Amino acid sequence: MLIGFIGIGIMGKPMVRNLLKHGYTVTVFDINEEAVRSIASEGAVPAASPKETAKNSDVIFTMLPNSEHVRSVVLGKDGVVEGAKQGTIVVDMSSISPVVSKELAETLAGRGIDMLDAPVSGGEPKAIDGTLAIMVGGKEEVFEKVKPLLQCMGKDITLVGGNGAGATVKLANQIMVNVNIAAMSEAIMLAAKAGIDIEKLYQAVRGGLAGSAVLDAKAPLILARNFQPGGRIDINLKDLTNAIEAAHAIGAPVPLASQVLEMFYALKADGKEGLDQAALVQYYEKLANFQVAQPASV
């Protein structure tokens, strides 16, 4: 199969690399021309538009920031729909609104094009090593066709339901991840201001019930004061906004997610929207007037 990939960012670039490593021909597009040139130097085929990408592809992956970007790339001028032939499969790996995802799938189905929503979890490190968790919504027969491609990029790949189900599960995932990071940050601040060595705290709790993949991924970043983005605050702010809107639409209360969203807005107002989610600890540092990495004095 010939592959198209639109969106060569923090996540998209390593995902394309993994497809190339498995011998696939991958045509790529991004509005960032330097990103396209960079991955083209590694063997990808550059395209001038989503339409051109689609013309040269049997399966087209999109990895974009939000719903409107995906809608524009798929249905807009020079979009995928203008270049894709009947039988093409579009796999949106972005984290977008389930409502928008379903609408796109219905529109594409009317053109003889199948769509899967297949958002991912694991951040940049797992995108690099090809072990992303991928939650997929769509027809089972379409899923089976693209599963070998997904296995180039991910490890735990699950068909969770029909169109829109993958996007919904991703929103649930984002609530779990971000509330977990907020709770971890709150606990670290408590311990640090009480004079506890945070490295020892981390080693003490990681093997117990408080241990988690989130703790192992984010606590070392806090200890190193490394807030370079793997999962950007502004992207997770968008995801939680989508999660809360989807929850309210069906009458599901989400008080914890709503509180973490307000924390993200506070960090954005502080100019920190481009930092990693681990920078949630900075929200607590500001409240406590204490920096975790500073020597504690009790």
Side-chain angles (χ1 to χ4, degrees):
M1 287 188 285
L2 298 175
I3 311 305
F5 206 106
I6 301 170
I8 315 299
I10 290 174
M11 298 291 287
K13 182 177 283 188
M15 293 164 78
V16 170
R17 283 191 181 120
N18 284 322
L19 288 165
L20 292 171
K21 286 176 186 175
H22 283 81
Y24 288 101
T25 297
V26 186
T27 300
V28 297
F29 173 77
D30 195 289
I31 58 171
N32 182 341
E33 294 179 0
E34 177 52 39
V36 173
R37 283 193 294 269
S38 174
I39 199 68
S41 72
E42 299 179 35
V45 180
S49 67
K51 177 181 178 180
E52 183 181 328
T53 305
K55 280 183 176 179
N56 297 319
S57 305
D58 302 308
V59 179
I60 301 142
F61 292 97
T62 54
M63 189 59 159
L64 299 162
N66 60 46
S67 298
E68 291 315 306
H69 286 109
V70 177
R71 192 197 302 274
S72 175
V73 158
V74 173
L75 300 181
K77 187 178 183 298
D78 290 328
V80 167
V81 75
E82 294 186 6
K85 56 188 177 294
Q86 287 198 357
T88 298
I89 300 171
V90 173
V91 184
D92 178 40
M93 307 191 79
S94 321
S95 298
I96 68 171
S97 160
V99 173
V100 173
S101 190
K102 288 180 185 177
E103 289 174 354
L104 291 173
E106 289 171 4
T107 301
L108 290 173
R111 310 284 187 94
I113 301 167
D114 285 306
M115 179 173 168
L116 300 174
D117 45 293
V120 305
S121 181
E124 185 183 14
K126 289 186 177 294
I128 291 170
D129 63 21
T131 59
L132 289 164
I134 306 176
M135 45 221 80
V136 187
K139 297 176 184 175
E140 185 170 4
E141 61 269 26
V142 179
F143 170 69
E144 291 299 331
K145 286 179 184 176
V146 303
K147 190 174 180 180
L149 303 177
L150 297 175
Q151 288 171 330
C152 297
M153 299 178 280
K155 181 180 177 184
D156 298 311
I157 303 162
T158 309
L159 180 66
V160 295
N163 287 112
T168 301
V169 170
K170 176 58 189 287
L171 296 183
N173 177 88
Q174 294 304 80
I175 290 175
M176 294 183 214
V177 168
N178 287 299
V179 170
N180 196 334
I181 295 172
M184 177 193 71
S185 298
E186 187 168 296
I188 284 175
M189 172 54 65
L190 164 67
K193 199 161 187 182
I196 301 298
D197 182 315
I198 300 306
E199 174 62 36
K200 291 180 179 177
L201 166 76
Y202 171 51
Q203 296 302 331
V205 305
R206 65 183 303 214
L209 195 58
S212 68
V214 167
L215 180 72
D216 286 338
K218 301 300 181 180
L221 299 183
I222 292 172
L223 287 165
R225 306 300 295 178
N226 174 15
F227 301 116
Q228 292 303 306
R232 288 171 57 109
I233 284 171
D234 53 1
I235 297 297
N236 284 276
L237 186 155
K238 175 263 299 180
D239 289 345
L240 287 188
T241 299
N242 285 338
I244 291 165
E245 289 177 353
H248 288 173
I250 59 173
V254 281
L256 292 177
S258 300
Q259 185 60 48
V260 176
L261 178 62
E262 290 303 318
M263 296 178 188
F264 281 149
Y265 271 115
L267 289 165
K268 182 179 179 181
D270 243 1
K272 296 175 180 176
E273 66 269 27
L275 300 182
D276 188 85
Q277 306 139 289
L280 266 168
V281 75
Q282 295 186 28
Y283 171 86
Y284 286 98
E285 288 176 339
K286 189 169 184 178
L287 290 178
N289 192 29
F290 182 87
Q291 184 169 302
V292 167
Q294 291 175 339
S297 56
V298 179

